[in-house]
């Protein structure tokens, strides 16, 4: 497996160019990122997840991976939320809790997975990623909303998220062995690319509005530490435990390890903007973690593959 920084340079430059495009659009064209965030949450993300499930033909084993990642990410976020409220303000604690349970598994991680993993590994990666997506728009969204709204208001907001219904509909159609017509599936192909492009552009749009006062060293260090310290250690432990209980396939082990080293999720900014909780601070933390990615991913994956014997 080629883990050199050169391997990651192409995807990184592409994503950063999307960030720059968003920055220019906001500065020169006065584009408001808030309607785009709403579009991502309520239209593009649900259709992207729906298409992924319909293409993936979910089996019990694949869905078990989705459930495992959902439970794991939810547990991390709930724990961080409990601890962060003792140190940070309500908005910062909510944003930190949300970010702790997720990563840039789609916009950034999927292109890397396509380069590093065999086809079976990519499929396993996708179903793990779906568990993280499900966390983002349920437990993660609730924790974020609680930084601004009451319990009842937060639950009402979750009930209105179409991603949950898109997920359930895809599982129902799969259980009934029903397939959508080919032209319909073909028409859905535009949404993953739109999801990546607009998700990264929102970071640039938000950065265009950032003032120096938005920089919060303590918050950025906490976000980056959770992403690049807690997650690699935790996922390394998960891989070693799963391999001890039942021999773990190389493809699944590699997919799980890759999930643990991607930078912070761009959806941190999307959700923060939708709920009005410190999107500028979130954008700065996401940018820092993304710039660190090409240096840390080869280093971390090399060490973890050696420790697990998967390399």
């Amino acid at each position: 497996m080629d883990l050199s920084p050169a391997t990651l340079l192409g995807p990184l430059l592409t994503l950063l160019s999307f960030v720059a495009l968003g920055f220019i659009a906001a500065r020169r064209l006065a584009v408001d990122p808030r309607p785009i965030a709403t579009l991502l949450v309520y239209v593009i993300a649900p259709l992207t997840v729906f298409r992924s499930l319909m293409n993936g033909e979910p089996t019990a084993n694949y869905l078990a991976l989705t459930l495992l990642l959902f439970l794991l990410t939810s547990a991390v976020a709930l724990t961080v939320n409990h601890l962060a409220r003792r140190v940070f303000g309500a908005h910062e604690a909510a944003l930190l809790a949300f970010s702790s349970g997720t990563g840039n598994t789609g916009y950034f991680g999927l292109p890397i997975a396509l380069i590093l993993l065999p086809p079976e590994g990519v499929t396993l990666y996708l179903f793990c990623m779906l568990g993280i997506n499900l966390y983002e728009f349920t437990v993660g969204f609730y924790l974020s909303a609680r930084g601004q709204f009451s319990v009842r208001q937060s639950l009402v907001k979750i009930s209105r998220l179409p991603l949950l219904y898109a997920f359930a509909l895809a599982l129902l159609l799969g259980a009934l062995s029903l397939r959508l017509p080919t032209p319909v599936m073909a028409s859905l192909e535009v949404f993953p690319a739109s999801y990546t492009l607009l998700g990264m552009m929102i970071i640039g749009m938000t950065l265009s509005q950032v003032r120096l006062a938005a920089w919060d060293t303590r918050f950025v260090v906490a976000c980056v530490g959770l992403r690049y310290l807690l997650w690699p250690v935790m996922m390394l432990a998960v891989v070693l435990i799963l391999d001890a209980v039942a021999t773990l396939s190389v493809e699944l082990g590699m997919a799980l390890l890759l999930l643990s080293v991607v930078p912070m999720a761009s959806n941190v900014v999307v959700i923060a903007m939708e709920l009005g909780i410190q999107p500028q601070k979130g954008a700065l933390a996401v940018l820092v973690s993304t710039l660190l990615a090409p240096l840390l991913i080869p280093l971390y994956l090399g060490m973890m593959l050696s420790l697990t014997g998967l390399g």
Side-chain angles (χ1 to χ4, degrees), residues 49 75 90 94 102 134 191 206 209 231 253 255 299 310:
V49 169
T102 185
L134 191 60
F191 288 101
T206 306
Q209 304 170 353
W231 266 91
L299 175 65
L310 298 174

Side-chain angles (χ1 to χ4, degrees), residues 25-49:
R27 277 295 178 89
R28 297 297 183 183
L29 304 176
V31 176
D32 185 355
R34 287 173 296 181
I36 298 175
T38 300
L39 190 67
L40 277 166
V41 170
Y42 291 98
V43 179
I44 296 175
L47 289 172
T48 299
V49 169

Side-chain angles (χ1 to χ4, degrees), residues 18 40 44-45 47-52 55 106-107 110 126 129 185-199:
F18 293 161
L40 277 166
I44 296 175
L47 289 172
T48 299
V49 169
F50 178 78
R51 177 185 176 274
S52 298
N55 279 339
Y107 309 143
L110 186 55
L126 281 171
M129 187 182 81
M185 290 301 297
S187 69
L188 295 176
E189 292 178 1
V190 301
F191 288 101
S194 301
Y195 185 61
T196 298
L197 173 62
L198 294 177

Side-chain angles (χ1 to χ4, degrees), residues 146-210:
R146 286 291 291 123
Q148 179 83 358
F149 303 100
S150 68
V151 172
R152 182 180 179 280
Q153 290 172 321
S154 300
L155 292 174
V156 168
K157 283 185 172 293
I158 289 178
S159 70
R160 294 173 178 170
L161 290 174
L163 185 138
L164 302 179
Y165 305 107
F167 191 90
L169 177 60
L171 293 184
L172 177 62
L173 292 176
L176 297 175
S177 300
L178 296 176
R179 303 292 300 171
L180 294 179
T182 300
V184 175
M185 290 301 297
S187 69
L188 295 176
E189 292 178 1
V190 301
F191 288 101
S194 301
Y195 185 61
T196 298
L197 173 62
L198 294 177
M200 296 306 292
M201 283 185 67
I202 276 186
I203 298 175
M205 292 177 188
T206 306
L207 288 172
S208 73
Q209 304 170 353
V210 166

